[in-house]
Amino acid sequence: MVVFGISGSGKSTILKLVSGLIRPESGRVIVNGQDMTDASESEWQHIRPKIGFVFQGGALFDSMTVGENVGYYLLEHTDKSLVEIEAVVRETLRFMNLSEDLIDLLPDSLSGGMQRRVAIGRAVAAVDPLIMLYDEPTTGLDPISTRAITEMILKLRDVKKVSSIVVTHEIADAFEVTDHFVVLHDGEIVFDGHGAEMLKCPNPHVREFLTPFLDSVRALPQA
């Protein structure tokens, strides 16, 4: 599912609610069929290992190597040996279509697209996710890197059966990922449905958000 909306509409707040980083003032939070609205921190600790979070921009530790970033959670929170962690890291890099040769490099030596894939790999290696949460995963990337990220989101769905919630402003990229869209305005859902329905939705807030995208599509040369 992709969540759209202008800045400040509540998109990132949804991700924080789903991951238990903040608590709702009203309503319910249901994660994987479990009501987590009033859950204690210890209860959240049981379900968070099934939730991967990819922060805006990747948020890698710039003083750590790629391998240390990907293996960070395993090193800090499990009793796995360094040999076992390295094996997981290398397997994760291969799954992310990244060379194992990157393992000893620092993040700032990588392209933006590679950094985002490393960040996704860190989330996948840290937990065994049923759910992945993405906050603006393709913002600022070139078309080739963007394609690599969208393909990775779909690969996780198809190979590991991971559900995803993607927060983004990039409408064209979103259509590559899903056909289920939610549009927020001022913390309220103003649309929930398929892409074709969204493009025809008369709601003024939906129209306002989509207008720049629709104008750019109309400006393309017609076959």
Side-chain angles (χ1 to χ4, degrees):
M1 183 175 74
V2 164
V3 181
F4 284 141
I6 63 174
S7 297
S9 60
K11 303 185 303 299
S12 296
T13 299
I14 284 181
L15 300 186
K16 293 175 183 178
L17 288 166
V18 172
S19 56
L21 295 179
I22 60 175
R23 301 297 178 91
E25 296 177 358
S26 61
R28 315 299 295 172
V29 177
I30 312 295
V31 181
N32 198 34
Q34 184 174 347
D35 190 336
M36 300 298 292
T37 309
D38 300 313
S40 65
E41 182 58 29
S42 62
E43 290 174 311
W44 272 107
Q45 291 298 331
H46 286 292
I47 201 167
R48 280 204 188 103
K50 296 299 180 183
I51 303 173
F53 203 134
V54 179
F55 296 92
Q56 188 171 353
L60 296 175
F61 299 113
D62 55 13
S63 61
M64 294 184 178
T65 66
V66 167
E68 290 167 340
N69 268 282
V70 175
Y72 178 78
Y73 180 89
L74 300 178
L75 181 64
E76 293 293 324
H77 299 286
T78 73
D79 57 1
K80 290 182 180 293
S81 69
L82 292 178
V83 172
E84 292 173 314
I85 292 173
E86 182 176 346
V88 172
V89 169
R90 291 184 179 278
E91 179 184 0
T92 301
L93 290 176
R94 291 194 297 270
F95 185 85
M96 293 293 134
N97 298 327
L98 291 168
S99 171
E100 294 179 50
D101 294 338
L102 303 179
I103 196 168
D104 292 321
L105 298 182
L106 292 174
D108 63 4
S109 66
L110 307 181
S111 68
M114 285 183 176
Q115 290 183 26
R116 302 287 172 89
R117 277 188 279 166
V118 170
I120 295 172
R122 180 175 61 183
V124 172
V127 299
D128 187 16
L130 291 173
I131 304 166
M132 286 287 288
L133 309 176
Y134 298 89
D135 194 358
E136 303 282 1
T138 62
T139 297
L141 298 182
D142 62 81
I144 295 175
S145 297
T146 293
R147 182 69 180 174
I149 297 301
T150 57
E151 288 178 350
M152 194 53 55
I153 294 173
L154 295 175
K155 184 178 181 180
L156 284 167
R157 179 197 67 187
D158 296 337
V159 176
K160 293 184 176 292
K161 310 305 178 186
V162 174
S163 298
S164 296
I165 300 176
V166 182
V167 161
T168 184
H169 288 98
E170 306 296 336
I171 299 174
D173 300 343
F175 274 90
E176 297 290 328
V177 173
T178 188
D179 193 41
H180 181 193
F181 300 94
V182 167
V183 181
L184 298 180
H185 178 77
D186 197 21
E188 300 288 339
I189 294 175
V190 294
F191 176 83
D192 183 354
H194 297 294
E197 298 168 337
M198 180 178 66
L199 295 177
K200 298 176 182 178
C201 179
N203 182 283
H205 302 303
V206 177
R207 304 306 301 170
E208 179 185 21
F209 181 78
L210 291 177
T211 292
F213 170 72
L214 295 175
D215 288 345
S216 65
V217 170
R218 295 188 189 102
L220 294 175
Q222 300 300 309

